[in-house]
Amino acid sequence: MSKIILTGDRPTGKLHVGHYVGSLRRRVELQESGEYDKIFIMIADAQALTDNADNPEKVRQNIVEVALDYMACGLEPAKSTLFIQSQIPQLCELSFYYMNLVTVSRLQRNPTVKAEIQMRNFEASIPVGFFTYPISQAADITAFKATTVPVGEDQMPMIEQTREIVHKFNSVYGETLVEPQVLLPNNQACMRLPGIDGKAKMSKSLGNCIYLSEEPEDIKKKVMSMFTDPNHLRVEDPGSLEGNTVFIYLDAFCKEEHFERYLPDYANLEELKAHYQRGGLGDVKVKKFLNHVLQEELEPIRNRRKELQKDIPYIFEVLKRGSEEAEKIAAQTLKEVRDSMKINYFADTALIKEQAEKFK
Ligand code: TRP
């Protein structure tokens, strides 16, 4: 069986370093690994509309931002198919059929949707489209027969629900769809990178993100203002790593070679952590190191993004070609789905004959 990746993001803002360590960096590695037969990267504008119904312009404006971030990070149109969700009408039809295979109570149990409903104060009036987006996400994944879905931990319930839908579809209509596997980030810090204020999630509204397109001075300012251990007041005090944003970022970003370049007194992160915990290591020194690490990682991305920004029509051309290719694949899957469901009535000579017999 071929190995196929599908993943994507809602275009509701520029992408930040949380997206980067949580998924983008991995996608590029997967792209370069040569292990996959096909890679689909989707800009989930239709899904973004499910909780931005009043603000379609925000979604529209951010399509290019996300595409630029993708390509700046190293996703290449020649190796990965980049496309826009709303340009693939087959996804709607698949969702419509899958809706019959999922109960309302099952949707209500989806922990990510539950948390999002709370976060958006939707309790009193949940948009139907938002409530059912896990079903449309199952359509996104299955339309491309994805075997592998690299996402953050918060997306696990969606993949679980997709697997259930696939299982149900195949048992009702016969083996048609492929059950996908989730591929999670490989370290805990990458799973959920906190905001610079130490809050659980980076979000634009909290103003606690470092964006991929951020300028060097702003990166530095943000790093120097990061939340650390509030009880680590004097340099000689022992410091705690628990919830210490600077160290969480180092876990996500730093490699041993960074020590050689920027902090040769230590061989690796373990030594730095041990010193911090013992006492005698100040926050400023650690922050300066993190700043070097982040600057090194983000500089090439920012520069590539600036290059790409010079030719925006090309970005649209890439997305158009990707969407055309994606639509062909989705159309093929939809055909198979309709065949399995036996709703291709007009091509079904056996049905026509049988019905004619019945009324003889
Ligand atoms: N739910 C994802 C997010 O919020 C976006 C998304 C839509 C997606 N469809 C998908 C991710 C299919 C992986 C597979 O970022």
Side-chain angles (χ1 to χ4, degrees), residues 216-338:
E217 316 79 74
D218 298 319
I219 298 173
K220 182 157 187 205
K221 250 188 252 158
K222 290 186 175 179
V223 170
M224 297 316 284
S225 75
M226 262 187 185
F227 178 82
T228 58
D229 169 9
N231 298 316
H232 186 233
L233 299 174
R234 289 168 307 172
V235 172
E236 54 282 15
D237 290 340
S240 164
L241 304 175
E242 184 91 16
N244 190 320
T245 318
V246 177
F247 279 97
I248 299 173
Y249 275 56
L250 284 174
D251 275 326
F253 279 99
C254 128
K255 304 178 203 130
E256 246 161 59
E257 68 218 52
H258 290 133
F259 282 94
E260 286 160 39
R261 281 205 277 286
Y262 307 117
L263 205 57
D265 293 349
Y266 302 86
N268 53 41
L269 191 52
E270 291 324 301
E271 281 187 18
L272 189 74
K273 284 180 177 173
H275 191 185
Y276 192 80
Q277 286 174 302
R278 257 194 331 269
L281 175 59
D283 283 349
V284 171
K285 189 163 175 181
V286 189
K287 284 179 173 176
K288 281 191 169 152
F289 176 56
L290 173 61
N291 178 52
H292 281 301
V293 171
L294 280 183
Q295 298 286 359
E296 182 181 310
E297 191 89 4
L298 297 182
E299 184 186 52
I301 298 175
R302 183 177 56 245
N303 291 344
R304 261 195 308 265
R305 200 183 200 275
K306 283 187 176 154
E307 276 309 302
L308 291 161
Q309 277 167 218
K310 290 181 188 158
D311 192 359
I312 295 298
Y314 167 70
I315 307 290
F316 277 100
E317 190 53 38
V318 164
L319 294 174
K320 178 165 179 256
R321 266 186 265 138
S323 299
E324 283 164 0
E325 190 192 335
E327 184 176 356
K328 281 195 199 116
I329 312 265
Q332 174 58 32
T333 303
L334 181 61
K335 181 183 176 298
E336 290 164 21
V337 160
R338 293 172 63 115

Side-chain angles (χ1 to χ4, degrees), residues 94 98 133-143 158 161-162 165-166:
L94 287 174
Y98 296 170
Y133 91 73
I135 300 175
S136 106
Q137 192 155 335
D140 302 337
I141 295 168
T142 54
M158 309 304 156
Q161 207 154 8
T162 301
I165 290 171
V166 168

Side-chain angles (χ1 to χ4, degrees), residues 63-80:
I63 286 174
V64 171
E65 297 282 3
V66 170
L68 285 167
D69 284 329
Y70 281 168
M71 289 166 70
C73 285
L75 291 172
E76 287 177 39
K79 298 177 182 165
S80 300

Side-chain angles (χ1 to χ4, degrees), residues 96-120:
F96 191 64
Y97 298 138
Y98 296 170
M99 282 191 184
N100 304 325
L101 309 175
V102 181
T103 63
V104 169
S105 67
R106 176 63 184 88
L107 282 170
Q108 279 166 334
R109 271 187 283 122
N110 184 310
T112 300
V113 176
K114 254 195 201 167
E116 286 176 307
I117 286 172
Q118 260 186 6
M119 220 163 68
R120 289 165 177 68

Side-chain angles (χ1 to χ4, degrees), residues 23-162:
S23 60
L24 288 175
R25 183 168 65 181
R26 185 71 170 286
R27 288 180 203 171
V28 177
E29 282 166 18
L30 295 169
Q31 173 189 271
E32 297 308 317
S33 75
E35 273 184 41
Y36 291 86
D37 301 292
K38 258 339 266 169
I39 300 181
F40 296 96
I41 310 287
M42 181 182 77
I43 300 182
D45 64 331
Q47 187 177 106
L49 286 171
T50 67
D51 66 333
N52 286 285
D54 297 334
N55 203 353
E57 196 51 28
K58 171 165 112 185
V59 175
R60 207 169 115 84
Q61 290 300 325
N62 279 303
I63 286 174
V64 171
E65 297 282 3
V66 170
L68 285 167
D69 284 329
Y70 281 168
M71 289 166 70
C73 285
L75 291 172
E76 287 177 39
K79 298 177 182 165
S80 300
T81 303
L82 308 180
F83 72 98
I84 307 180
Q85 185 183 27
S86 63
Q87 305 309 297
I88 319 299
Q90 291 80 3
L91 299 177
C92 300
E93 191 172 333
L94 287 174
S95 303
F96 191 64
Y97 298 138
Y98 296 170
M99 282 191 184
N100 304 325
L101 309 175
V102 181
T103 63
V104 169
S105 67
R106 176 63 184 88
L107 282 170
Q108 279 166 334
R109 271 187 283 122
N110 184 310
T112 300
V113 176
K114 254 195 201 167
E116 286 176 307
I117 286 172
Q118 260 186 6
M119 220 163 68
R120 289 165 177 68
N121 292 320
F122 273 166
E123 282 100 335
S125 54
I126 309 171
V128 173
F130 179 78
F131 185 61
T132 56
Y133 91 73
I135 300 175
S136 106
Q137 192 155 335
D140 302 337
I141 295 168
T142 54
F144 301 95
K145 299 208 166 91
T147 52
T148 310
V149 186
V151 281
E153 192 187 22
D154 63 321
Q155 295 297 303
M156 256 167 69
M158 309 304 156
I159 315 307
E160 198 42 52
Q161 207 154 8
T162 301

